[in-house]
Amino acid sequence: MASGLEIVDDKSPICIPFILGRIKEQQRIQQLNRKEHLGSDAGNRRPFVIGLNGVQGVGKTTLVGALAKTLQLEYGLETLVVSIDDFYLPHADQKALAAAQPDNKLVACRGEPGTHDMKLASAFLEAVTQGRPARIPQYDKSAYAGEGDRVPESQWLGVNGPGQRKVEVVILEGWCVGFRPLSPMAITAKWMGPSRTLQDHDLKDLEFVNWHLESYEPITAMFDAFIHIDAEDLEWVYDWRLEQEVNLIRERGSGMTHEQVIKFVDAYYPAYELYSSNLRQGVFADKLSCHLRIVVSKDRRVKETFII
């Protein structure tokens, strides 16, 4: 490729059968429930909600684009892809959060759990899953010299509106989607153990992020299935992010330096160190075979798959 960066989609052929199988099972359960409640509307089918997690640079954008296209065109399923990034706090609220926690580097800028507007995310997904009209929030990462800000609501696109097909599948993707809060004892144990970035932060600052992760739980509870694109070695995220910047410089003439890339990824990496091991065990406590974990090697190609 001219860009020098090739991400091969060898993941959607694995994900599509998994998704279709879970949708079929959901429909079977819904049909049984309708038979038990004779007055219900047989056509009122709740959208199927998928959470998708993958470290930065692993190829989430390529994957969700392929999944949406296949589900839409080949299987006729009206599919909506939403990014957790579009629920970042507005610029003013992010600045206020940073000012209220002046010594907490984890919330000095957008990124870690706690820097998203989860009330907005929950309200949006509740509307979509109930078949009501909703507008998709958008976030402009280039605003305020890269600090970012929410796009005015007047520019948000709508779904489930008059004349539009009802959304049948929702994919919520993001680097921290599916992360679940840990106990104080577990946070302390990880902080005291070997790590790349955790000891760069005060324990109370990690606990602050962990406390905010509680507000993400209502979203996780909405998932009918989960896909986790996992790296055999999490530290490859530094190399993958650097590759992206090298290509940006080649194509656009500007991008982050090597040192800036490390600093950028360091802002996210504590959450990887805290929550990835639990995520690998499965995001659901009460749903069997609903979590697909795909492990990739350094070239981002599939190495192993697990159904949890």
Side-chain angles (χ1 to χ4, degrees), residues 175-250:
W175 74 278
C176 65
V177 170
F179 285 171
R180 310 201 78 160
L182 302 175
S183 69
M185 185 180 297
I187 292 285
T188 301
K190 285 182 177 289
W191 181 67
M192 294 179 67
S195 73
R196 175 171 179 141
T197 61
L198 294 182
Q199 292 175 3
D200 295 337
H201 304 276
D202 288 341
L203 179 59
K204 64 178 178 58
D205 294 337
L206 296 171
E207 291 173 335
F208 180 82
V209 168
N210 189 66
W211 176 77
H212 271 281
L213 197 55
E214 292 281 355
S215 65
Y216 294 61
E217 287 288 270
I219 297 295
T220 305
M222 293 185 191
F223 297 153
D224 299 298
F226 194 82
I227 297 171
H228 178 199
I229 310 302
D230 194 10
E232 194 175 19
D233 184 338
L234 279 174
E235 293 201 17
W236 290 340
V237 68
Y238 288 90
D239 296 327
W240 291 338
R241 196 65 184 82
L242 181 60
E243 281 182 23
Q244 291 177 328
E245 290 304 313
V246 167
N247 283 287
L248 276 176
I249 293 171
R250 181 184 297 118

Side-chain angles (χ1 to χ4, degrees), residues 178 180 226 228 277-285 291 293 308:
R180 310 201 78 160
F226 194 82
H228 178 199
S277 58
N278 276 20
L279 188 62
R280 288 168 176 154
Q281 303 306 310
V283 75
F284 302 115
H291 181 139
R293 177 176 171 234
I308 304 168

Side-chain angles (χ1 to χ4, degrees), residues 9-295:
D9 176 27
D10 58 350
K11 302 169 191 65
S12 65
I14 299 170
C15 295
I16 290 294
F18 168 75
I19 293 170
L20 294 175
R22 297 319 309 170
I23 290 175
K24 184 177 181 180
E25 177 63 13
Q26 183 202 60
Q27 291 173 348
R28 184 187 70 81
I29 293 172
Q30 289 177 338
Q31 287 172 354
L32 289 175
N33 289 338
R34 282 196 293 272
K35 288 179 180 179
E36 294 176 3
H37 301 86
L38 299 179
S40 64
D41 179 7
N44 188 18
R45 189 173 283 165
R46 177 188 178 278
F48 189 83
V49 184
I50 303 165
L52 191 146
N53 176 294
V55 298
Q56 294 151 310
V58 78
K60 289 191 300 297
T61 301
T62 299
L63 175 58
V64 296
L67 293 179
K69 182 178 180 180
T70 301
L71 292 170
Q72 189 93 27
L73 299 181
E74 295 187 23
Y75 296 95
L77 295 167
E78 188 67 20
T79 303
L80 172 65
V81 175
V82 186
S83 173
I84 194 70
D85 290 357
D86 283 322
F87 295 99
Y88 278 128
L89 294 170
H91 183 261
D93 291 347
Q94 175 58 50
K95 298 295 281 188
L97 174 64
Q101 295 279 320
D103 298 323
N104 189 344
K105 295 180 290 185
L106 294 169
V107 294
C109 57
R110 70 176 190 269
E112 289 280 345
T115 64
H116 299 93
D117 184 343
M118 297 314 293
K119 288 184 178 179
L120 175 64
S122 294
F124 171 78
L125 283 178
E126 284 175 4
V128 173
T129 55
Q130 292 169 11
R132 294 187 280 112
R135 305 185 81 177
I136 309 168
Q138 296 182 48
Y139 191 88
D140 180 4
K141 294 181 180 179
S142 68
Y144 289 95
E147 291 184 355
D149 197 10
R150 187 173 295 165
V151 172
E153 188 171 350
S154 60
Q155 298 179 32
W156 299 1
L157 300 177
V159 294
N160 288 342
Q164 293 180 306
R165 283 186 60 189
K166 293 288 188 180
V167 172
E168 297 171 283
V169 177
V170 181
I171 303 175
L172 176 65
E173 64 88 9
W175 74 278
C176 65
V177 170
F179 285 171
R180 310 201 78 160
L182 302 175
S183 69
M185 185 180 297
I187 292 285
T188 301
K190 285 182 177 289
W191 181 67
M192 294 179 67
S195 73
R196 175 171 179 141
T197 61
L198 294 182
Q199 292 175 3
D200 295 337
H201 304 276
D202 288 341
L203 179 59
K204 64 178 178 58
D205 294 337
L206 296 171
E207 291 173 335
F208 180 82
V209 168
N210 189 66
W211 176 77
H212 271 281
L213 197 55
E214 292 281 355
S215 65
Y216 294 61
E217 287 288 270
I219 297 295
T220 305
M222 293 185 191
F223 297 153
D224 299 298
F226 194 82
I227 297 171
H228 178 199
I229 310 302
D230 194 10
E232 194 175 19
D233 184 338
L234 279 174
E235 293 201 17
W236 290 340
V237 68
Y238 288 90
D239 296 327
W240 291 338
R241 196 65 184 82
L242 181 60
E243 281 182 23
Q244 291 177 328
E245 290 304 313
V246 167
N247 283 287
L248 276 176
I249 293 171
R250 181 184 297 118
E251 294 171 0
R252 302 181 185 177
S254 64
M256 289 189 285
T257 65
H258 186 274
E259 292 75 17
Q260 288 172 323
V261 168
I262 292 175
K263 184 177 179 181
F264 176 83
V265 178
D266 278 348
Y268 294 82
Y269 205 77
Y272 291 138
E273 295 197 273
L274 287 175
Y275 304 112
S276 293
S277 58
N278 276 20
L279 188 62
R280 288 168 176 154
Q281 303 306 310
V283 75
F284 302 115
D286 57 348
K287 300 175 185 175
L288 294 177
S289 303
C290 291
H291 181 139
L292 170 63
R293 177 176 171 234
I294 298 177
V295 182

